[in-house]
Amino acid sequence: MMIRSLLFTLLCLPISVVAQTVMDGFLMPESVVQDLQGNIYMTEIGQRDIDGDGKITKIDPQGNRSALAEGLYDPKGLVLFKDKLYVTDRDVVIEVNINDGAYGVFAGTMSFPKSPVFLNDIDVDDQGNLYVSDSGDFKSTGFIFKIKPTGEVSLVLEDQRDVVKAPNGLLIEGDKLFILDWGGEFFKANLKTNKVKKIAEGFNGGDGIAKIGKTIYLSSWLEGKIYTVVQGKVSVIQEGYEAAADIALSNNKGQLLIPDMKAGTLTIMDLQ
Ligand SMILES: [Ca+2]
Ligand SMILES: [Ca+2]
């Protein structure tokens, strides 16, 4: 672990020197979240398109790992609301109790107004409404769904599908929805007016979004890079990942959590 950590730090020297921890040995980690007690929950796909080997791994503040929920298909995005995790798993959304790992389907395939193809990221607003991206064929057939706490599913920004083509990363803030498209464009949508504005572009294989104040962090799965976008200005802050997947902030917003799907690692990077 030390060697890998050192290697990553060296790779990043030309851009910035950052303190970070790298944990390895995960099977296709995709998305991560930390609770207020400091436990980290991460989805592991296992083998792609193989059912039953997907899981949610819990990493406690001492670094001990355990399986919170096993027997999933290809779990990807996850978000925490109260004491439940909501997890996209191909064409369903699963609800997992973080206290005992008990899980069940929260939104099944048949409850979606369009058949889900590749459910990817998920975020939650203050009221517990879930926003879920469907990256479709990763070119032009994506959708964004809203799932109310009752389980009712509806389409969001349906008339903007010629603009937002293959949504992956989502971040909800009031009635603003930030969207990172797999094709590389980064959007801010107003859910009241249904207007979509492009903020920046060039994030080929765009995956995760995190935000502190005016600083937005984006990951590119294909490029293995972490970017910041500050009032439209784009900078690369880290590179050298094999496949930087869906990023998240730590519970104190002092660190960025970065799963590398192909390397099978979780990097915990201090933010300066
Ligand atoms: Ca799998
Ligand atoms: Ca993703």
Side-chain angles (χ1 to χ4, degrees):
M1 199 188 287
M2 281 302 292
I3 292 169
R4 196 184 278 269
S5 182
L6 183 64
L7 182 63
F8 268 97
T9 305
L10 287 172
L11 281 172
C12 299
L13 271 178
I15 295 162
S16 63
V17 180
V18 289
Q20 60 184 17
T21 304
V22 182
M23 304 178 76
D24 58 14
F26 302 104
L27 294 172
M28 299 254 285
E30 208 279 340
S31 185
V32 64
V33 68
Q34 187 173 37
D35 70 16
L36 292 173
Q37 286 71 45
N39 300 296
I40 291 171
Y41 305 93
M42 186 159 66
T43 50
E44 290 184 64
I45 290 169
Q47 284 190 64
R48 194 179 305 228
D49 298 326
I50 300 294
D51 193 7
D53 68 344
K55 62 181 176 180
I56 298 166
T57 294
K58 176 180 176 179
I59 306 164
D60 75 15
Q62 288 73 44
N64 302 305
R65 303 179 194 183
S66 58
L68 178 72
E70 294 182 285
L72 306 181
Y73 212 132
D74 292 346
K76 298 186 184 72
L78 87 170
V79 72
L80 183 64
F81 187 71
K82 296 181 177 168
D83 60 351
K84 304 274 173 54
L85 290 168
Y86 294 88
V87 187
T88 64
D89 194 1
R90 284 171 70 102
D91 52 2
V92 299
V93 172
I94 289 168
E95 180 184 73
V96 185
N97 188 317
I98 60 168
N99 300 311
D100 58 10
Y103 72 85
V105 172
F106 181 68
T109 311
M110 298 304 285
S111 39
F112 286 80
K114 303 273 183 190
S115 290
V117 174
F118 195 102
L119 297 182
N120 204 330
D121 200 7
I122 186 166
D123 200 13
V124 65
D125 69 15
D126 296 341
Q127 286 77 47
N129 297 298
L130 300 167
Y131 293 85
V132 178
S133 63
D134 185 336
S135 301
D137 64 1
F138 287 83
K139 291 189 183 86
S140 62
T141 57
F143 286 103
I144 299 170
F145 299 104
K146 175 181 178 179
I147 309 175
K148 289 184 180 171
T150 56
E152 183 194 333
V153 189
S154 58
L155 280 163
V156 172
L157 303 170
E158 190 180 7
D159 60 353
Q160 299 288 340
R161 291 186 66 233
D162 55 337
V163 179
V164 183
K165 296 177 178 128
N168 187 353
L170 298 179
L171 189 145
I172 186 79
E173 198 176 76
D175 52 15
K176 308 274 190 317
L177 181 66
F178 293 88
I179 307 160
L180 182 55
D181 199 280
W182 180 258
E185 295 178 301
F186 181 51
F187 302 102
K188 181 161 104 175
N190 183 322
L191 296 181
K192 281 210 169 123
T193 61
N194 276 336
K195 289 219 164 69
V196 175
K197 181 181 159 196
K198 182 157 75 179
I199 298 175
E201 62 188 349
F203 314 102
N204 191 22
D207 204 329
I209 309 173
K211 185 172 182 288
I212 309 174
K214 289 189 162 61
T215 303
I216 298 168
Y217 297 88
L218 303 178
S219 61
S220 163
W221 193 94
L222 284 175
E223 298 174 337
K225 291 180 182 171
I226 307 296
Y227 292 90
T228 54
V229 180
V230 184
Q231 294 183 314
K233 184 177 180 296
V234 178
S235 311
V236 176
I237 60 161
Q238 263 202 332
E239 56 190 339
Y241 291 94
E242 289 181 46
D246 187 5
I247 54 175
L249 293 171
S250 61
N251 57 15
N252 63 4
K253 299 188 193 307
Q255 294 166 313
L256 193 66
L257 313 179
I258 307 158
D260 186 325
M261 192 189 288
K262 287 189 182 168
T265 56
L266 171 64
T267 297
I268 302 173
M269 178 181 104
D270 285 358
L271 298 173
Q272 295 156 324

